[in-house]
Every structure is written in structure tokens, then in C-alpha cells.
Amino acid sequence: MKVLNSSQINAFGGINFVLDEFDKMHLGDFLQSNLPVLSPTTFYNWKDIFYSFASIYYCGGDCIEDSKTVLSRQFSGNPI
């Protein structure tokens, strides 16, 4: 069988199936309602952050680099 065109197949393999399950569980709503409010000037939300970190593992990554070092510039202006 040769798949010529499919919206479910992309460079990230099956990650879209995992993210669809997260969406069905309304994980983004849960994160937004239970975690601290992010700065109103941010262009991302808790769902984006969680999905990004989860995608590292679900796409075959072994570890996440030291996020404080890597993301310190981006998070430095955000209130705790």
C-alpha cells in the first residue's frame, strides 16, 4: 500500500494522534484553569508550553535540555 496524500501523516509521525487525544481530554483548558496566569503580553499559553515539551519525548527525544538556560531570555520578563 502506498499513501499518496494524508493529512494525518507528516514529518512528526504519530504526534498528531497524541495531541488529538490531549485535545479530547481538554488538557489545555485544565492547564489554563489550574496554573498561574501568564503575562498578558505573551503569545503562548500553558497548552503550548506543555505540548512543546511533551512533543520532545513523543517524537523520540531522550531529554530536554536545561530549560532554564535555554529559555531564560524568553521567560525573564514573565512574572512568577
Side-chain angles (χ1 to χ4, degrees):
M1 179 171 93
K2 181 177 180 182
V3 177
L4 298 176
N5 187 7
S6 173
S7 61
Q8 295 296 317
I9 297 175
N10 59 40
F12 295 108
I15 188 65
N16 45 346
F17 296 110
V18 174
L19 299 180
D20 286 345
E21 288 300 314
F22 286 166
D23 288 339
K24 288 177 188 175
M25 295 182 339
H26 303 284
L27 185 59
D29 297 334
F30 175 79
L31 294 171
Q32 286 302 113
S33 63
N34 290 288
L35 294 175
V37 176
L38 296 171
S39 170
T41 60
T42 59
F43 292 105
Y44 51 86
N45 57 35
W46 286 113
K47 175 183 169 182
D48 298 331
I49 296 168
F50 180 80
Y51 280 30
S52 294
F53 281 119
S55 295
I56 292 170
Y57 289 110
Y58 289 119
C59 289
D62 293 331
C63 65
I64 298 173
E65 294 178 358
D66 183 5
S67 59
K68 184 177 179 183
T69 302
V70 174
L71 301 173
S72 63
R73 187 172 54 91
Q74 288 83 356
F75 288 139
S76 64
N78 291 335
I80 294 177

